[in-house]
Amino acid sequence: MRVLLVEDDQTVSNFIAKGLTEAGHLVEQAEDGKNGLSLAQHEKFDVIILDRMLPGGVEGIHILETLRKQNNSTPVLLLSALADINEKVAGLKAGGDDYVTKPFSFSELQARLEALVRRNRNEAQPQTRLNIGDLEIDLLSRNVRRAGQKIELQPREFRLLEFLMRHAGQVVTRTMLLEGVWDYHFDPQTNVIDVHISRLRQKIDKPFQHALVHTIRNAGYMLQE
Amino acid sequence: MFQDIIHAINKATSALTQGDLSYRISLGSSKSELDDVAAAINTMLERITHLMEKTRQASNTIAHDLRRPITYARFQLEDAALHAHSEEDLRTAIAQAIKHLDHITSICGALLRIADIEAGMCRAAFTWFDLALALQDVLELYTVVAENRGLIIKATFPEHLPFYGDRTMIQQALANVLDNAIKFSPCAGIITCTAHFLPPLPTAENNGSIELKITDQGIGMTPEEMAHATERFFRAEQARHAPGFGLGLSIVQAIVQLHGGQLHLADNTPGLIVRIDIPLPFPGKSATL
Ligand SMILES: Nc1ncnc2c1ncn2[C@@H]1O[C@H](COP(=O)(O)OP(=O)(O)OP(=O)(O)O)[C@@H](O)[C@H]1O
Ligand SMILES: [Mg+2]
């Protein structure tokens, strides 16, 4: 994918650019808000990574608002040193699609970027059924089947599975699950997510030949055939 | 007479300015007005000294507690640089070091969060919401963790509980308390979580209050430990083996205070009782708590 990276801290910028390039993406770097805005307006990107605080008067939020006013709907991921939840809300209100606080792990950033780009592509067709391999879920009747066999899930387990299925083939981090499935926006201290995943595995993987839920070391989980 | 007072105050302030925090105005034997003023100033000096000492201690502990994960990360990396024999060794060491750095991030995050909450700015985001639903969500997240350790969480609260405050923060407070209850319980035992509305007393200026109570049957705390439990970085002797930084209850305390409430700890023989009382405002004049 084509990524515009607007970040004034050279160390952070180069670190992200290197990682994304290595993962096979094309990265365009801008050091200040003015350049960033002009690039965003004149070229087409799959996603924009935008630092909230930029030198030279043109703030990240300002760029974002300007783009949205011009009906530019490129997904935007905001980067910020401010962990404050109100800051996050303000960023999302201004039209941001996701928000990552520094310091972050590269795998967190990458997972979120890929989720954003995918979501943007998928939004057109609303789905009522999701499936991967021999696992199938019906979003309307809330039925879950694997290899034709019906599986009973608690409502939250269903949401967890649905989230994983919507991101099938992608890494999903623990924080993404906490936010997306539990609407939880703070550090839960213990690894609650791991426990919930292992419950889900008991039901959808254990009784069957091969596993669909995979642990991705130092990153999170992935649902994959 | 007045000149004496002014002279004494002058001497005391210049001693203080020069960094002598131990200077006190000497009190005469006669019960003169000078003595009253002198006593008042001395009390103030006492208080300043105490506050400065507290601030000094707080930054000392912060520095100290940050040093630990920094030391670990440093060891890990240095050891790997000197002795790693394979790429595998190197990667393991680096992953470990990153974990320690993440701990530092968590500590800083928690400290900043406490500072934010104490600054009181978040009060602007207060709204009315259903506490029962908010608690239910957190309980659901932790019940599975508790069950995994052979613990049962018994929750009792009404179907709806109108509440005024910050939803995310109240959830975080409950989460931190539950996390402790699970962490400091042996495998097996019951954790209870109750919440209910207490109607206002005739003389009260609030509209009643909410009492939230969490009990466990774990290792518990001595009265002495309870007195220090909400201090930043405090961890009781028998708690040191468990993971954590001693910041969970400091956050709870800050959240409860932001809501104008009170946090009480008591003995559950065995175990701990955590009670949180939060007053409710009258609907309408909701901004002032
Ligand atoms: N339910 C409990 N039972 C026994 N002791 C407790 C309980 N809750 C807290 N404590 C004691 O109070 C201390 C402070 O608790 P606090 O939640 O602030 O820190 P922590 O749990 O050790 O670390 P953190 O919350 O940062 O992960 C604990 O270390 C422990 O000694
Ligand atoms: Mg704790």
Side-chain angles (χ1 to χ4, degrees), chain A residues 69-85:
Chain A
K69 254 184 232 143
Q70 298 168 347
N71 289 326
N72 183 327
S73 61
T74 312
V76 169
L77 181 142
L78 288 162
L79 282 186
S80 169
L82 304 164
D84 188 347
I85 178 132

Side-chain angles (χ1 to χ4, degrees), chain B residues 49-83:
Chain B
T49 317
H50 176 72
L51 285 177
M52 287 192 55
E53 182 57 24
K54 252 181 83 172
T55 317
R56 201 178 61 80
Q57 273 176 7
S59 36
N60 277 354
T61 28
I62 292 174
H64 179 80
D65 279 83
L66 283 177
R67 274 185 106 99
R68 195 157 36 112
I70 293 174
T71 308
Y72 294 165
R74 208 187 172 291
F75 272 150
Q76 209 93 45
L77 290 173
E78 191 174 23
D79 179 56
L82 293 174
H83 309 297

Side-chain angles (χ1 to χ4, degrees), chain A residues 29-42:
Chain A
Q29 285 169 268
E31 274 174 52
D32 61 53
K34 231 177 113 223
N35 273 331
L37 182 58
S38 135
L39 274 168
Q41 285 169 325
H42 296 107

Side-chain angles (χ1 to χ4, degrees), chain A residues 14-15 42 45 48 77 88 111 113 116-117 129 167 196:
Chain A
N14 290 339
F15 163 74
H42 296 107
F45 294 95
I48 301 173
L77 181 142
K88 183 170 171 174
L113 283 177
L116 275 186
V117 172
R129 274 168 176 279
H167 295 86
H196 285 267

Side-chain angles (χ1 to χ4, degrees), chain B residues 259-271:
Chain B
H259 286 78
Q262 281 185 313
L263 170 70
H264 306 272
L265 302 180
D267 201 345
N268 195 31
T269 46

Side-chain angles (χ1 to χ4, degrees), chain A residues 189, chain B residues 176-177 179-180 183-184 243-249:
Chain A
Q189 300 185 307
Chain B
N176 287 6
V177 175
D179 184 68
N180 286 347
K183 190 162 66 175
F184 298 116
F245 311 114
L247 289 172
L249 284 180

